[in-house]
Amino acid sequence: MTPLPEANSPAAAAKTEYKKALEICYASSRQYAGTRGAKNCDALSRQINQKELSFQAEQANLPDQALRALVSYRNINQVYARVLLLTDDISKKADAMREERDRLEYYRSLAPNEKWTIELPKDDDLHRHSTEIKIPALPIGNYLLMIGTAEDMSGKNNAFASQRMSVTNLALLTRETSYTKTTYLAVHRNTGNPLANIDYETYLKTWDYRSNQYKDQRLSEGKTDKNGMFEAPAPKDQYGNLKVVIKNGKDRYEHNDYLRQDGEYTEYDRHQTFFFTDRAIYRPGQTVFFKGITLLLKPNNQHEVAVGQATTVTLYDANHQEAAKLDLKTNEYGSFNGKFVLPSNLLNGSFSLSSAYGSANFQVEEYKRPKFAVSFEPIKGSYRLSESITAKGNAKAFAGNNIDGATVKYRVVRTASFPWWGWWCWWRIPDAASNALEIEQGSTTTDADGNFSVTFTALPDLTLDPTQKPQYTYQIIADVTDINGETRSQPANVEVGYVSLLVNADISDNFNQRKPDAVIGISSTNLSGQPEAASLNIVVYELQQPKRLLRPRLWQRPDKFLMTEPDFVRYFPNDVYDNEDNYATWKRGETLLDKNINTATDSTINLSSLRAAKVGKYVLEITGKDKFGEKVTWKKLFTLYDPSDSKMPETALLWSIMDKTTLEPAETALLAYGSSAKDAKIWIEISRNQTDIRHEWLSASESLQQLSKKYPKIGAGALAYAWHRYASTASNSKPIP
């Protein structure tokens, strides 16, 4: 049977569709009782009426603060919830049970620490819905949250779901620093401050075949350093699930990782050969001229050419059988060259040149060299749907003469797409699809100049909603056959839509207020990308950011709400309630620029007026009309920042930008970083060849900070920085070649 659609799909948006389907099923079952169709209707009725329940909760939560979970449900109005403290004895007994159903029955038999009833928001549309629930504050420990439609949590003929979770002040940041070890940072889950001198232990979880359960084999133990850091080296030839435990008094947190098998991996010098051939395709019997360059690759990236390196180059046929070989030696530049005559009696296909340190493929085919080519002229101007469009093409020989009198067979295939109009209208992009459809076919001949034309009507797909502004691609495929029987094919695309103009601005996501050149490019084109002059209005205005400091959503936005917004904010001050994290819902602030231009004469605009503006979130909006009078709007959200100013450009848990996308050796780079959180700290780590050069905690309390550093030339590496606050982690890195 066809699966039921998801809650956010267009089918689910039609609230009455399931009810209509149910009425049809009931009526059909009564009218055609006992038939196969009636039985199928009964099965569909049961599926539509079936109760469904699931939930998501954070794996680790802060103690003595309200918790929350996202409950997804269908055909349910009330559920029961239980929280059970998983003591060491309970966990040990449950883990010894092989079957999950036995563990659940054991948990159900125990007295819960908390239990309550939840009245879910009612909606009789038979669709899936979701809502966020509040869970009572809990002390430090490990817990099991159970939610079900039966008060005793029985699963028989009832909907039931459960999840383990921990309540702790501890958190871990991890980074694999080499093939043999992983670095961990122990931090406070809420403040992000490093936890120095606390206990850590690492275990390898191995399967014990005698007891039929996992056993913990201790690998290491110790205390974190002043930065809260410790390393977990990998033992030789070990692999499997790694358990990392940090403890601070009664507080304990477990982190599961994976242990690499290559614990004794050591980097070493190695050779690599790069092959070059004079062509990519050959005929049987032709000569292949090749050249190779062999490099000596060293772990510190100080590579050099391999001089005097003996090498054997082998020619393999399409069946990877040896056809010939040459013994060669590299010269003072690390290169060698040679040639092979291709056999004429072998199967054509993919041949290869191979040595001990590299290989290259090429094709061997009985091909006929083409004598002419087909091309289409660029599609200029704008067109409307249902309008006649003519595309012009030409067939010309490589010798320069025109291909006249050639037969041209063509067909036109239509496909639809929904172009991206900017961050502000993401919700307008539907899931609807339009299958490719051939709307025109025919034939013609080339004239004395080798020219031909294809005329067709740009028919739209009437099953698509015009208000969604679909854009249609009409692909013309022309097959041209000359008087000698040679055929060349060439496609060409014509773009047509309900709006015939595309506008754009060359502005990045982050705009530096102190940038010397504040000029950006403005373009207007037809849907095929050809320039199209237009009169445009360009506006830059500020967006009013939320005052609350929000962390990213942990799950999808619920479509139903149990808590009021004031109650939600009181219990979860750093979490998103509805859509306040969506830029499209933010109120418009001060307008900084309002200018009219015509792209026939102006293709740039100067944003120097932004130098006097306050840092923050801004929108550049372009509006205009196409030649048919249809309104066109394009918006770009960007962050205006000043790397020399201490003011944060946006209300964010972590914001950072680097003045260079990549760093050259011995080059100085500036990292601007900051947080809107009070007393926030950021971990900065600079490494080369998987070896730390510098690492430290830096303050980023409610301000933007700068870090300027010159990077020595000691091999490839990276600048990495990480942050943890309000049980949320963010990180970034920049490569150093």
Side-chain angles (χ1 to χ4, degrees):
M1 298 187 63
T2 303
L4 294 173
E6 295 297 327
N8 295 326
S9 69
K15 291 177 68 64
T16 61
E17 292 302 312
Y18 277 172
K19 285 191 172 183
K20 290 180 181 178
L22 206 57
E23 292 173 0
I24 294 173
C25 287
Y26 288 156
S28 300
S29 295
R30 289 192 300 268
Q31 186 174 355
Y32 305 102
T35 65
R36 182 176 179 180
K39 292 178 180 179
N40 288 337
C41 287
D42 292 340
L44 181 58
S45 300
R46 289 192 297 271
Q47 185 182 10
I48 294 175
N49 286 314
Q50 185 178 6
K51 294 181 179 181
E52 294 181 4
L53 177 66
S54 63
F55 72 88
Q56 293 174 264
E58 284 190 78
Q59 293 292 333
N61 303 268
L62 290 167
D64 305 320
Q65 294 185 19
L67 291 67
R68 67 191 175 112
L70 178 75
V71 177
S72 299
Y73 61 97
R74 187 163 71 90
N75 301 327
I76 298 173
N77 295 325
Q78 177 181 275
V79 293
Y80 301 91
R82 288 185 182 184
V83 174
L84 175 66
L85 175 64
L86 300 177
T87 63
D88 290 342
D89 290 340
I90 292 176
S91 297
K92 186 176 181 179
K93 186 174 181 179
D95 291 342
M97 300 176 183
R98 295 190 61 183
E99 300 294 335
E100 178 66 18
R101 63 174 179 269
D102 294 334
R103 283 192 288 271
L104 291 176
E105 285 301 322
Y106 172 58
Y107 292 142
R108 292 181 180 119
S109 68
L110 301 174
N113 297 78
E114 297 280 353
K115 65 177 183 178
W116 67 101
T117 303
I118 304 169
E119 297 292 334
L120 297 172
K122 292 183 179 180
D123 198 321
D124 297 327
D125 60 3
L126 304 173
H127 287 294
R128 295 187 184 97
H129 296 285
S130 61
T131 189
E132 288 180 308
I133 65 168
K134 182 175 74 72
I135 303 169
L138 299 169
I140 289 172
N142 294 316
Y143 295 87
L144 179 72
L145 173 62
M146 295 179 284
I147 300 178
T149 54
E151 190 171 7
D152 61 356
M153 296 295 158
S154 63
K156 188 176 182 180
N157 300 323
N158 294 295
F160 171 80
S162 65
Q163 179 183 315
R164 289 194 181 196
M165 59 185 185
S166 61
V167 176
T168 176
N169 281 314
L170 308 179
L172 274 178
L173 306 180
T174 67
R175 189 173 81 85
E176 187 177 280
T177 52
S178 71
Y179 293 101
T180 59
K181 63 184 178 182
T182 301
T183 298
Y184 297 91
L185 284 172
V187 298
H188 192 281
R189 180 164 293 277
N190 187 43
T191 66
N193 290 330
L195 298 175
N197 202 36
I198 68 169
D199 296 319
Y200 74 85
E201 298 168 351
T202 63
Y203 298 88
L204 178 65
K205 297 178 73 68
T206 57
W207 182 257
D208 186 347
Y209 290 95
R210 291 186 176 181
S211 61
N212 286 326
Q213 60 183 344
Y214 281 101
K215 297 288 187 180
D216 290 339
Q217 174 190 343
R218 179 175 292 180
L219 299 178
S220 63
E221 61 180 334
K223 289 186 176 294
T224 60
D225 65 11
K226 64 178 181 179
N227 292 313
M229 186 171 69
F230 63 95
E231 293 180 341
K236 181 180 179 180
D237 299 329
Q238 293 281 4
Y239 64 95
N241 295 318
L242 180 70
K243 183 171 73 174
V244 181
V245 180
I246 54 175
K247 296 183 290 185
N248 189 16
K250 294 183 179 180
D251 201 351
R252 173 191 173 99
Y253 175 67
E254 292 185 7
H255 171 80
N256 292 314
D257 213 333
Y258 188 78
L259 185 64
R260 299 176 65 97
Q261 185 176 7
D262 49 0
E264 283 292 303
Y265 179 87
T266 302
E267 292 189 281
Y268 53 89
D269 294 355
R270 58 190 179 91
H271 291 85
Q272 185 170 355
T273 298
F274 300 90
F275 280 98
F276 305 90
T277 58
D278 60 328
R279 293 162 63 183
I281 185 170
Y282 300 85
R283 292 191 186 95
Q286 287 187 328
T287 301
V288 178
F289 295 92
F290 66 88
K291 181 177 182 177
I293 299 176
T294 301
L295 298 180
L296 178 61
L297 307 181
K298 296 187 175 183
N300 60 1
N301 289 331
Q302 302 299 307
H303 309 322
E304 58 187 43
V305 295
V307 179
Q309 178 70 42
T311 185
T312 299
V313 180
T314 305
L315 172 66
Y316 290 99
D317 64 15
N319 291 320
H320 201 65
Q321 300 298 310
E322 181 181 316
K325 66 167 54 176
L326 282 174
D327 292 325
L328 302 169
K329 182 178 288 188
T330 61
N331 59 22
E332 59 184 313
Y333 302 106
S335 67
F336 57 86
N337 61 79
K339 62 181 180 180
F340 287 111
V341 178
L342 294 171
S344 301
N345 58 346
L346 296 179
L347 180 69
N348 295 335
S350 179
F351 280 53
S352 63
L353 297 173
S354 180
S355 72
Y357 309 123
S359 63
N361 291 352
F362 58 89
Q363 290 296 120
V364 177
E365 303 290 350
E366 286 282 5
Y367 67 91
K368 182 179 179 181
R369 182 174 295 176
K371 294 182 178 180
F372 71 94
V374 180
S375 62
F376 277 96
E377 295 180 7
I379 307 297
K380 297 180 180 180
S382 298
Y383 301 93
R384 304 195 79 167
L385 292 168
S386 301
E387 193 174 66
S388 180
I389 300 174
T390 299
K392 297 181 179 180
N394 176 266
K396 184 180 287 290
F398 292 112
N401 56 293
N402 299 320
I403 305 297
D404 61 335
T407 301
V408 181
K409 293 184 178 180
Y410 64 86
R411 53 195 178 95
V412 181
V413 178
R414 182 195 66 202
T415 56
S417 61
F418 296 87
W420 177 260
W421 295 98
W423 60 270
W424 55 279
C425 66
W426 58 270
W427 48 270
R428 289 175 50 193
I429 301 178
D431 292 332
S434 177
N435 295 325
L437 177 68
E438 185 175 307
I439 63 169
E440 190 90 28
Q441 61 174 312
S443 63
T444 184
T445 57
T446 59
D447 61 18
D449 296 323
N451 296 323
F452 65 92
S453 61
V454 176
T455 301
F456 66 94
T457 301
L459 298 175
D461 186 345
L462 299 180
T463 64
L464 299 182
D465 184 0
T467 63
Q468 298 293 342
K469 306 295 183 185
Q471 181 175 312
Y472 297 95
T473 299
Y474 299 89
Q475 185 179 53
I476 306 165
I477 301 100
D479 301 321
V480 181
T481 304
D482 68 1
I483 58 175
N484 297 315
E486 181 179 338
T487 301
R488 298 285 107 193
S489 300
Q490 182 63 34
N493 291 340
V494 181
E495 306 287 341
V496 185
Y498 291 94
V499 173
S500 63
L501 185 70
L502 295 177
V503 295
N504 194 18
D506 185 19
I507 184 171
S508 61
D509 294 336
N510 298 294
F511 191 85
N512 188 347
Q513 240 179 353
R514 301 305 166 206
K515 183 180 179 182
D517 183 10
V519 176
I520 64 169
I522 305 294
S523 65
S524 59
T525 67
N526 65 10
L527 299 188
S528 296
Q530 297 298 314
E532 181 90 358
S535 296
L536 304 175
N537 175 248
I538 301 174
V539 178
V540 177
Y541 57 86
E542 183 187 10
L543 287 180
Q544 297 179 7
Q545 302 182 51
K547 295 181 180 179
R548 283 199 301 137
L549 188 55
L550 301 174
R551 63 174 181 164
R553 274 195 181 276
L554 301 173
W555 39 66
Q556 68 183 30
R557 174 185 174 274
D559 68 319
K560 301 290 182 181
F561 297 91
L562 271 179
M563 291 177 276
T564 64
E565 186 170 4
D567 286 342
F568 183 92
V569 172
R570 183 168 69 253
Y571 292 119
F572 312 106
N574 300 113
D575 288 306
V576 181
Y577 175 69
D578 188 1
N579 57 6
E580 58 268 35
D581 60 334
N582 182 1
Y583 304 134
T585 65
W586 294 0
K587 293 183 179 179
R588 180 168 173 168
E590 179 185 2
T591 299
L592 300 182
L593 177 72
D594 191 338
K595 185 176 181 179
N596 296 316
I597 69 168
N598 191 298
T599 55
T601 56
D602 294 325
S603 59
T604 61
I605 189 169
N606 196 324
L607 299 181
S608 57
S609 59
L610 297 183
R611 293 195 177 111
K614 61 181 180 180
V615 296
K617 287 285 190 182
Y618 289 82
V619 172
L620 187 148
E621 179 179 324
I622 304 176
T623 56
K625 292 184 178 180
D626 64 15
K627 74 174 189 178
F628 305 111
E630 295 290 338
K631 185 177 179 180
V632 178
T633 302
W634 182 89
K635 296 180 182 182
K636 171 68 176 182
L637 174 75
F638 66 95
T639 301
L640 182 67
Y641 74 98
D642 182 352
S644 61
D645 192 355
S646 62
K647 187 174 181 181
M648 284 284 293
E650 62 178 277
T651 305
L653 293 170
L654 173 66
W655 190 88
S656 63
I657 192 169
M658 210 167 189
D659 64 344
K660 297 178 176 65
T661 55
T662 59
L663 303 176
E664 296 297 330
E667 186 178 13
T668 299
L670 176 67
L671 170 69
Y673 64 93
S675 173
S676 301
K678 187 177 181 181
D679 299 326
K681 291 184 180 295
I682 291 180
W683 175 256
I684 300 290
E685 189 174 276
I686 303 169
S687 63
R688 284 282 193 176
N689 299 321
Q690 298 184 330
T691 301
D692 286 349
I693 299 174
R694 172 183 176 182
H695 58 251
E696 62 181 310
W697 287 99
L698 299 177
S699 175
S701 179
E702 298 179 297
S703 64
L704 191 66
Q705 306 290 330
Q706 293 80 37
L707 174 65
S708 182
K709 176 69 178 174
K710 186 174 183 179
Y711 301 91
K713 186 177 180 180
I714 56 172
L719 163 66
Y721 43 100
W723 166 96
H724 188 93
R725 190 64 183 266
Y726 302 134
S728 181
T729 301
S731 63
N732 206 343
S733 65
K734 296 292 181 183
I736 305 172

